[in-house]
Amino acid sequence: MTVTLEKSVEDFITTPHKLFIDGQWVDAASGKTFATPNPATGQTLAHVAEADAEDIDRAVRAARRAFEQGPWSRMTASERGRIIWRIGDLILEHAEELAQLESLDNGKPVAVARAADVPLAADLFHYMAGWATKIEGNTISLSVPYMPGAAFHAYTLREPVGVVGQIIPWNFPLLMAAWKLGPALATGNVVILKPAEQTPLSALRLAELIAEAGMPDGVVNVLPGYGETAGAALAAHDGVDKVAFTGSTEVGKLIVHAAAGNLKKVTLELGGKSPNIVFDDADPDIAIQGAANAIFFNHGQCCVAGSRLFVQRDRFDEVVEGVANIARGIRLGPGMEPDTQMGPLVSDEQLRRVTGYLDSGRAEGVQTLAGGNRHGERGYFVQPTVLTDVRPEMKVVREEIFGPVVVASPFSDLDEIAAEANATDYGLGAGIWTRDISKAHALAGKIRAGTVWINCYNVFDAALPFGGYKQSGWGREMGHQALDAYTEVKSVCTQLQT
C-alpha cells in the first residue's frame, strides 16, 4: 500500500513546468523541455522547461535590476528578515506536499523527507531570517605613523556581494536549496538557482512559496536545466558576482575554471570519502547502528556518508557482521510505500555508477558480506552493501561511490588510524565511536575534516557550520560562517579636523 498522494501533488506533477525568471513563469527561450523520472519505476514523472545560456542571461539581467534598482536593496534588514521567516513558515504549512514531491522525484522514503528534509529546510530559513538584522561592521582606531597627530574615524561595512549563481545537487533537493538561499537572502543578495536536472520539482514548488512570501520580482530566479549548458553558463557569466556549488569534486573544479573569467567569488561543497572509526571500548550496539546509519542514510547518496569503516582489530568481526546484518534486513522499495527503509538511487546513471564500483571491487578481490548487487529489475535499486578484504589502492576505497556501499578495515591504535583516516584527497566528515572522551577529542584534533561526530553521525543543525578540507571544498554552509561567503567588507576612513 502506498501513501495517498495529496491533490496538490497530483496537480503539480501533471502540470508542465516553466522557468521562474523575474517573478514570472516563462518558457525556455529554445522551447525545449526535459522529463524528470520517478526513480522507483524509471517512468516519466513530470516535464520541465530546459534552461540554457540565453535563459541564464535573461535571469542574470533580471537579478541585476532587482539588486540595483528594485525594492530589495531599499528594504530594511527587518523587512527582509520577515520575508525569509515567512518562507520557512510556508514550507511547514506545505510540509506533506513537499515531502511527497521529494520522495517521488528523488526516491527517498517519504517518512525521511517528512522527518528530516522538510523541517530542516524550514529551520534554515528561520535561522537565517534572524541574521538579517545582525550583519554588522566595526569601528577601528587608527595609528598612522607618517601622519603624527592626525585623527580619523574609520569603520567597516558588510555589504552583499550582488548577483549570486547557486547550483545544487539531487540528493537533498529542497534542503540544499534552503542551505544556499537562506544566507544569500539574509545578507541582501539576489539569486539565480539552478536545481539538478534529476530533481527539479521541489525547487520549482519552493519558488512558488517564495513568491507567496512576498519576495520582490527578480530577487530569486529558479532555472532547471543541465549542468553542461545552464550550469556552465551560470558559472561563467560575467554578470554573476559569486557562484556557490554543491556536487562532485570533478565538477567543482570545472566551476572554478569557469569562474575565472571575471574572478567571481566561489564557494564549493564537494565530495567525501569519510572515515567512521569504532574503537574497541565503544558501546557495540550503539556503534553498529551508528555505522549502518552513517552509510545507508539517504541510500548512501550523501557527500558525508561514512563510507570507510575502520574498526579496532579486537572488535572488527563483531561490528562488521553487525552492520552487515542490518544491511541484509533493510527493506527496499518505492519511497511512497510507508514500510520502505531505503528507496532507489536517483537515476539510471547513478545505478550504473554504483554497480560499476561493485563490479570493480569483485574484480579486485573484495569479500562481500552483504548486498553487492542491483535489487530487482524495475527502478534504480541497489542492495545495501558491506565489503571487506579491501586494500588502500582499490577504487572502492579511494573514490567516492555515492551509494549504499561501505568498505571495512581493521586498525590497531590511535596513531595508525589517524594516518589512515587522513589518507584521502577528501576531508568532509568523520565519525568516532568510543567511551574514552579524551581519546575521542585527541583523534578529532588529528583528523583533517570539516565535521567530526563523536558517538553520533549525520547530526545537522542550521547553527552548525558544514564544509570540507582539502578537495571537499571551499567555505562553509550554515552557521554564521556562511554569511561571510555572501558579503564584501568595505573600509571607510575619514580624517577628522581637530
Side-chain angles (χ1 to χ4, degrees), residues 57-397:
D57 184 65
R58 205 170 16 152
V60 170
R61 286 187 280 111
R64 180 63 64 187
R65 285 194 303 271
F67 182 68
E68 296 182 351
Q69 304 168 24
W72 187 240
S73 58
R74 297 193 296 271
M75 283 184 179
T76 66
S78 180
E79 289 170 331
R80 288 200 310 270
R82 285 197 293 270
I83 293 175
I84 298 166
W85 185 277
R86 178 64 178 144
I87 297 169
D89 284 349
L90 287 169
I91 289 172
L92 294 179
E93 289 175 24
H94 296 270
E96 180 62 20
E97 176 188 350
L98 289 166
Q100 291 187 12
L101 279 175
E102 208 76 328
S103 179
L104 289 168
D105 208 15
N106 168 272
K108 67 180 62 191
V110 68
V112 172
R114 285 190 197 117
D117 298 61
V118 175
L120 284 173
D123 189 59
L124 192 287
F125 281 109
H126 287 153
Y127 174 83
M128 288 298 172
W131 276 109
T133 55
K134 301 168 187 66
I135 311 299
E136 301 173 342
N138 60 286
T139 57
I140 304 168
S141 297
L142 301 187
S143 302
V144 183
Y146 52 84
M147 298 180 70
F152 299 91
H153 174 49
Y155 59 94
T156 60
L157 298 171
R158 297 271 300 278
E159 299 180 339
V161 170
V163 177
V164 178
Q166 299 183 324
I167 303 171
I168 59 173
W170 44 256
N171 55 340
F172 295 93
L174 178 67
L175 184 56
M176 293 299 98
W179 280 20
K180 289 288 187 286
L181 289 168
L185 296 175
T187 47
N189 295 279
V190 295
V191 176
I192 299 98
L193 179 75
K194 194 205 85 67
E197 61 268 24
Q198 297 89 344
T199 54
L201 297 184
S202 58
L204 292 169
R205 184 66 182 104
L206 179 61
E208 294 179 347
L209 299 180
I210 288 172
E212 184 179 342
M215 188 67 68
D217 293 347
V219 175
V220 175
N221 306 272
V222 179
L223 283 78
Y226 291 95
E228 299 85 351
T229 51
L234 185 58
H237 201 292
D238 285 343
V240 173
D241 302 303
K242 170 190 166 58
V243 63
F245 171 76
T246 296
S248 71
T249 297
E250 178 185 10
V251 176
K253 293 176 180 179
L254 297 176
I255 296 287
V256 171
H257 287 291
N262 67 338
L263 291 179
K264 59 175 62 67
K265 296 179 180 298
V266 177
T267 50
L268 305 167
E269 197 264 279
L270 305 176
K273 194 72 176 178
S274 298
N276 199 16
I277 301 159
V278 180
F279 284 95
D280 57 10
D281 63 350
D283 182 305
D285 294 334
I286 294 174
I288 288 168
Q289 187 65 54
N293 289 337
I295 182 58
F296 300 135
F297 173 64
N298 206 51
H299 328 160
Q301 297 174 139
C302 189
C303 52
V304 77
S307 54
R308 291 187 297 145
L309 176 61
F310 296 98
V311 184
Q312 202 155 18
R313 200 170 298 276
D314 289 347
R315 306 296 290 275
F316 180 79
D317 291 341
E318 175 190 2
V319 170
V320 174
E321 182 57 32
V323 175
N325 276 331
I326 291 174
R328 298 180 194 113
I330 291 174
R331 292 190 299 274
L332 279 75
M336 291 296 288
E337 292 185 359
D339 61 348
T340 290
Q341 294 175 302
M342 181 182 289
L345 301 181
V346 75
S347 64
D348 181 65
E349 178 185 9
Q350 189 66 9
L351 173 68
R352 287 184 278 110
R353 171 187 172 87
V354 174
T355 54
Y357 275 106
L358 295 176
D359 292 342
S360 169
R362 277 190 289 269
E364 292 185 296
V366 303
Q367 180 181 355
T368 304
L369 291 190
N373 294 292
R374 178 178 182 174
H375 173 79
E377 296 298 324
R378 187 169 184 256
Y380 313 131
F381 296 90
V382 168
Q383 297 170 337
T385 299
V386 179
L387 305 178
T388 61
D389 291 348
V390 296
R391 301 184 303 279
E393 68 273 14
M394 289 179 173
K395 286 179 63 176
V396 292
V397 176

Side-chain angles (χ1 to χ4, degrees), residues 380-433:
Y380 313 131
F381 296 90
V382 168
Q383 297 170 337
T385 299
V386 179
L387 305 178
T388 61
D389 291 348
V390 296
R391 301 184 303 279
E393 68 273 14
M394 289 179 173
K395 286 179 63 176
V396 292
V397 176
R398 291 185 293 106
E399 299 180 14
E400 184 180 38
I401 298 174
F402 221 65
V405 182
V406 63
V407 296
S409 304
F411 72 93
S412 297
D413 55 41
L414 189 147
D415 288 336
E416 177 192 359
I417 192 53
E420 289 281 352
N422 290 328
T424 174
D425 292 333
Y426 299 107
L428 194 57
I432 300 171
W433 303 85

